[in-house]
Amino acid sequence: MTIEVRPVRDGDFFAWLELYSKYAEFYETELTDQRALVLWSWLTAPEHEEQGYVAVDSDGDRIVGLAHVREFARPLEGDRGLFLDDLFVLESERGSGIGRALIDHVRSLAEERRLGVVQWITAQDNTDAQRVYDAVASRTSWVTYEIDLAGQG
């Protein structure tokens, strides 16, 4: 199967939503209609930092994967990087190179923009994805922390 990776388009909403819902389910996160619409509005607004890309099958009519990215500042390096927020491939299509194609596309974007790094995180138990990631990137020693402010009223 030949894969094309391209930016999301207005007409992609329902196919994108199907994949993004499965992504949220994979990470056991509730995807409300409001959250989905907010993200979609970001992905389709040229001025917003979050950008969306989809992997489309050879017929060009079926979205089989997605990637969402945004630039970020790297103060110690004096440059910018590209953060891969979300990466997802339909379960039925995994192992066929779609994840790697999406990562390669993200890398190419970063190279075109002369950015210093591409970074992403994944769940500790997402070992299938880590096999792909280990083949295309270096695992770092950084530990991630977060303060969840959404639950505070």
Side-chain angles (χ1 to χ4, degrees):
M1 169 185 351
T2 305
I3 296 298
E4 173 196 0
V5 177
R6 61 164 174 77
V8 296
R9 300 176 185 154
D10 285 334
D12 292 336
F13 177 73
F14 292 106
W16 167 87
L17 180 58
E18 181 182 339
L19 262 72
Y20 200 62
S21 295
K22 290 177 181 179
Y23 174 79
E25 184 180 310
F26 179 83
Y27 281 111
E28 299 176 356
T29 301
E30 179 186 6
L31 180 63
T32 64
D33 290 346
Q34 180 183 0
R35 289 179 184 169
L37 290 171
V38 166
L39 176 54
W40 184 253
S41 73
W42 294 349
L43 297 177
T44 56
E47 69 280 358
H48 197 278
E49 65 183 345
E50 193 75 25
Q51 299 173 318
Y53 297 90
V54 290
V56 182
D57 68 7
S58 52
D59 296 331
D61 60 356
R62 188 166 156 250
I63 294 175
V64 294
L66 61 79
H68 303 148
V69 300
R70 62 186 155 84
E71 284 191 30
F72 66 97
R74 299 194 324 146
L76 280 176
E77 303 301 329
D79 67 7
R80 297 182 62 77
L82 196 59
F83 196 83
L84 177 56
D85 283 305
D86 306 316
L87 179 72
F88 185 75
V89 174
L90 281 174
E91 190 171 355
S92 62
E93 304 299 327
R94 293 183 188 154
S96 61
I98 296 166
R100 184 179 279 245
L102 285 160
I103 293 169
D104 287 347
H105 185 78
V106 170
R107 179 189 178 126
S108 293
L109 289 171
E111 288 172 341
E112 288 170 17
R113 298 174 188 179
R114 300 193 191 303
L115 303 177
V117 72
V118 175
Q119 290 181 339
W120 65 94
I121 61 173
T122 192
Q124 212 167 10
D125 62 351
N126 192 357
T127 55
D128 290 340
Q130 288 176 39
R131 280 193 284 283
V132 175
Y133 302 160
D134 288 341
V136 298
S138 300
R139 189 180 293 238
T140 72
S141 61
W142 292 97
V143 177
T144 303
Y145 292 87
E146 66 180 33
I147 298 173
D148 183 3
L149 301 174
Q152 295 182 358

